[in-house]
Amino acid sequence: MKASDTKATLSFSNGGQPVDLPIYKGTLGPDVIDIRKLYAQTGMFTYDPGFMSTASCESAITYIDGDKGELLYRGYPIEQLATNCDFLETCHLLLYGELPNAGQKAKFTDTVTHHTMVNEQMQFFLRGFRRDAHPMAIMTGLVGALSAFYHDSTDITNPKHREIAAVRLIAKMPTLVAMAYKYTVGQPYMYPRNDLSYAGNFLHMMFATPCEEYKVSPVLERALDRIFILHADHEQNASTSTVRLCGSSGTNPFAAIAAGVACLWGPAHGGANEAALNMLYDIQKAGGVDKIGEFIKQVKDKNSNVKLMGFGHRVYKNYDPRAKLMQETCREVLGELGLENDPLFKLAMALEKIALEDEYFVSRKLYPNVDFYSGIVQRAIGIPVPLFTAIFALARTVGWIAQLNEMIGDPDYKIGRPRQLFEGSPKRDVKPISAR
Ligand code: CMC
């Protein structure tokens, strides 16, 4: 951390002693005021429940400039990565800090490819679930269960264990997501194929059957690979912070990532892609483009609890750069499948246009986020709606594990332990039950 020449001084209106607080500068983005000694110096905590102004850690992985609508992985703009690199190169970048050269890429791809199978017992574990279980319920269970199968990579204090756990998680997530899908539709599981790319193999495990040859479409393969790249990491979002907090207790990486999967499930986070598509379906059913005005009215009504899903973001106060790339992919995929006139895509474009011109959205700086178009792409590929968030989890696993390993690798890391402003009853005595 680089200390700034400037210091912050906290003064109190009751004449209490002012406190000087150090300020640190990052390479990009806002400086931070170091309040670690504040409690010792003043007996007070800071209060910031939704982390609106709090940097929870130091990190060198992902940087977002929300005002500019800029996203960098290890310094590289997301647009360049999505256009020039594939997902496994991006994984290498996030995990090790640099894009691989040709030799490193071949080695990393080979390593991931040779860890894609899961223990055969996993399918018996899967059988315990109802066939209609939500894929995220299944994924939370399956990912947590990995820790019961890979005892040789659960010691997070051992860098070798951390590395092999990272590879295993990245390699096995597609297999687990595809198994969760096959289970719900009652089809046989398809084993991974080592001659296919990461995204191609996922398509194979999802859509192939043992009855006939399945040909991977290069356009769909590339589209899925791009979805993976765009979702690979996103700084200290809710699920990543969950993984860090969970991992800070020293738990094993599989358990920490399972906590991230659980957090991602929520509709304000990863569940928004599913919610956004369901919202489009609802508007379509109600009458389509003609009903947009009525829908927007409901969204603006504070008592309705209706949100424009796929819009708004805690950090982006500009167009989410991932949404732009996703819209481009959406056009490509629909073109490939002969669905240029897809009514849901048209509806989404019309909804976006109207929202972007509406004072409510303009004044609150609400723009489309990555989830606004990713559902349309996934649906066109043939991925069922309830599986969308599981695909997000698959892609985000590399970000979670890179952030977890960054935290654990820092010799100064401590268990995360927030404090509180207590608003409950002061100390009181228990009365006998007859007197309560
Ligand atoms: N539709 C209607 N109003 C909205 C929306 C929306 N999608 N998002 C925010 N607002 C309003 C909100 O009601 C508030 O209005 P007011 O100032 O009058 O009270 C104002 O905009 C600020 O919103 P906020 O809830 O304080 O902002 P936040 O940073 O706490 O929430 C968010 C961010 C993403 C949870 C929220 O924008 C949202 O719920 N969006 C819809 C869900 C969604 O698309 N989530 C995906 C996020 S991107 C993928 C990911 O990273 O997981």
Side-chain angles (χ1 to χ4, degrees):
M1 268 191 291
K2 191 167 160 263
S4 158
D5 297 337
T6 317
K7 277 195 170 51
T9 304
L10 181 65
S11 59
F12 302 90
S13 59
N14 64 1
Q17 193 66 20
V19 180
D20 280 343
L21 299 165
I23 295 181
Y24 300 117
K25 287 192 158 310
T27 42
L28 292 170
D31 298 348
V32 299
I33 302 172
D34 182 353
I35 55 159
R36 281 176 294 180
K37 297 202 174 116
L38 188 72
Y39 178 55
Q41 286 173 320
T42 66
M44 281 185 216
F45 298 136
T46 56
Y47 180 67
D48 187 14
F51 295 91
M52 302 295 288
S53 301
T54 297
S56 61
C57 63
E58 256 186 279
S59 182
I61 302 176
T62 293
Y63 174 75
I64 304 171
D65 186 323
D67 293 324
K68 283 196 210 151
E70 186 174 75
L71 170 61
L72 312 176
Y73 292 166
R74 303 273 189 193
Y76 295 110
I78 191 68
E79 293 82 359
Q80 291 185 27
L81 292 167
T83 317
N84 301 320
C85 301
D86 66 22
F87 179 63
L88 286 184
E89 287 173 83
T90 308
C91 289
H92 189 285
L93 173 70
L94 289 169
L95 282 178
Y96 306 116
E98 293 299 339
L99 282 168
N101 60 28
Q104 290 164 330
K105 179 179 174 177
K107 187 162 175 267
F108 183 67
T109 304
D110 187 71
T111 308
V112 171
T113 306
H114 286 90
H115 280 90
T116 47
M117 280 207 297
V118 294
N119 190 297
E120 201 67 1
Q121 283 294 108
M122 210 42 137
Q123 56 174 289
F124 302 111
F125 179 61
L126 202 51
R127 270 194 212 161
F129 287 96
R130 285 168 56 130
R131 294 268 177 194
D132 62 356
H134 193 285
M136 286 301 277
I138 298 181
M139 287 307 294
T140 312
L142 292 187
V143 176
L146 288 176
S147 47
F149 290 101
Y150 302 103
H151 294 286
D152 59 344
S153 52
T154 52
D155 176 8
I156 48 110
T157 60
N158 181 327
K160 276 267 156 263
H161 279 217
R162 292 205 293 273
E163 185 168 359
I164 188 67
V167 168
R168 282 183 168 143
L169 277 156
I170 293 164
K172 294 180 200 307
M173 280 300 270
T175 315
L176 295 179
V177 174
M179 284 175 81
Y181 169 63
K182 289 292 195 190
Y183 181 73
T184 57
V185 290
Q187 286 185 7
Y189 304 122
M190 297 300 293
Y191 287 110
R193 264 184 45 190
N194 289 357
D195 58 323
L196 296 174
S197 71
Y198 188 86
N201 179 48
F202 179 64
L203 286 168
H204 154 77
M205 290 189 291
M206 283 285 293
F207 301 119
T209 67
C211 315
E212 58 188 27
E213 201 197 341
Y214 172 80
K215 275 223 166 327
V216 175
S217 148
V219 173
L220 302 192
E221 182 182 11
R222 181 66 203 147
L224 198 58
D225 195 75
R226 178 174 274 193
I227 290 179
F228 295 162
I229 293 173
L230 299 186
H231 288 85
D233 195 44
H234 214 225
E235 208 229 62
Q236 308 310 321
N237 56 84
S239 58
T240 301
S241 300
T242 301
V243 169
R244 279 185 178 257
L245 191 57
C246 183
S248 78
S249 72
T251 192
N252 73 75
F254 305 105
I257 302 301
V261 174
C263 177
L264 188 75
W265 191 359
H269 192 8
N273 51 18
E274 179 176 346
L277 199 79
N278 286 333
M279 172 193 78
L280 291 176
Y281 275 138
D282 288 344
I283 303 175
Q284 183 72 9
K285 255 192 269 158
V289 177
D290 294 344
K291 290 286 168 188
I292 291 179
E294 215 172 284
F295 176 71
I296 296 272
K297 219 186 218 169
Q298 275 180 35
V299 168
K300 294 198 293 195
D301 174 4
K302 286 279 163 211
N303 300 318
S304 74
N305 269 336
V306 178
K307 280 203 162 167
L308 179 50
M309 299 311 286
F311 254 69
H313 199 275
R314 171 61 61 81
V315 183
Y316 292 118
K317 301 301 165 199
N318 201 329
Y319 213 100
D320 177 343
R322 302 168 304 167
K324 273 194 197 128
L325 291 157
M326 196 49 78
Q327 195 196 59
E328 196 181 288
T329 298
C330 199
R331 276 186 208 287
E332 254 170 58
V333 167
L334 296 177
E336 163 75 4
L337 299 172
L339 299 170
E340 292 88 346
N341 293 319
D342 178 53
L344 279 198
F345 184 55
K346 289 204 155 150
L347 180 63
M349 301 268 288
L351 190 55
E352 177 190 326
K353 187 167 182 300
I354 292 170
L356 289 180
E357 285 164 2
D358 191 297
E359 198 279 329
Y360 176 94
F361 296 93
V362 174
S363 62
R364 288 170 179 76
K365 298 190 177 165
L366 299 172
Y367 293 87
N369 60 52
V370 67
D371 291 323
F372 196 65
Y373 288 106
S374 71
I376 301 175
V377 180
Q378 294 189 57
R379 168 181 151 272
I381 292 176
I383 296 166
V385 178
L387 212 71
F388 290 0
T389 315
I391 308 276
F392 190 160
L394 181 175
R396 182 56 57 84
T397 296
V398 62
W400 288 331
I401 195 86
Q403 301 263 356
L404 178 67
N405 286 351
E406 180 182 68
M407 178 186 77
I408 304 288
D410 178 350
D412 290 336
Y413 102 88
K414 286 190 178 340
I415 185 169
R417 177 55 169 93
R419 303 304 300 266
Q420 63 178 5
L421 173 65
F422 183 68
E423 295 260 45
S425 167
K427 190 173 172 188
R428 52 185 171 160
D429 293 320
V430 174
K431 291 187 184 144
I433 195 158
S434 57
R436 283 178 222 158

